[in-house]
Amino acid sequence: MMVIFCGGGEPGGAILTENLRPEKFTLFTDLDLSEVARSLKLVPSENGEIEILQKFWKNDSENQKTAPALLIYADLINSGLVEI
């Protein structure tokens, strides 16, 4: 099974800017979350550095490796990496 995901937050910012080094990984996918976790051999952890969320937008742009830029920005503000 091929896992298809879009980077959000820190990984999305890293892809778009080529300037960030992600510490926490937020991934969005259309696939069943349990299947993604099983395919990637992820184990649930309260202190984990990977967050897998259901993708809730349609790809309207050429860039399908990241979440929409506004969502990435909001994630980065929420993480404290970007100040407003």
Side-chain angles (χ1 to χ4, degrees):
M1 169 173 143
M2 183 176 174
V3 177
I4 300 172
F5 63 88
C6 298
E10 295 177 37
I15 291 169
L16 293 180
T17 66
E18 298 179 1
N19 191 30
L20 292 176
R21 194 163 206 214
E23 292 181 11
K24 181 176 180 176
F25 291 84
T26 304
L27 306 174
F28 293 92
T29 183
D30 285 331
L31 304 174
D32 182 63
L33 301 180
S34 62
E35 286 295 320
V36 173
R38 192 172 21 255
S39 175
L40 296 175
K41 299 180 182 176
L42 300 175
V43 178
S45 170
E46 288 185 23
N47 299 321
E49 300 299 327
I50 300 173
E51 179 179 33
I52 301 174
L53 302 170
Q54 196 67 44
K55 186 177 148 199
F56 58 88
W57 67 89
K58 295 181 182 177
N59 283 344
D60 294 330
S61 65
E62 296 175 10
N63 184 4
Q64 297 188 13
K65 292 182 181 181
T66 68
L70 186 57
L71 179 57
I72 292 170
Y73 184 64
D75 283 346
L76 290 173
I77 288 173
N78 189 44
S79 73
L81 289 176
V82 173
E83 294 182 20
I84 53 172

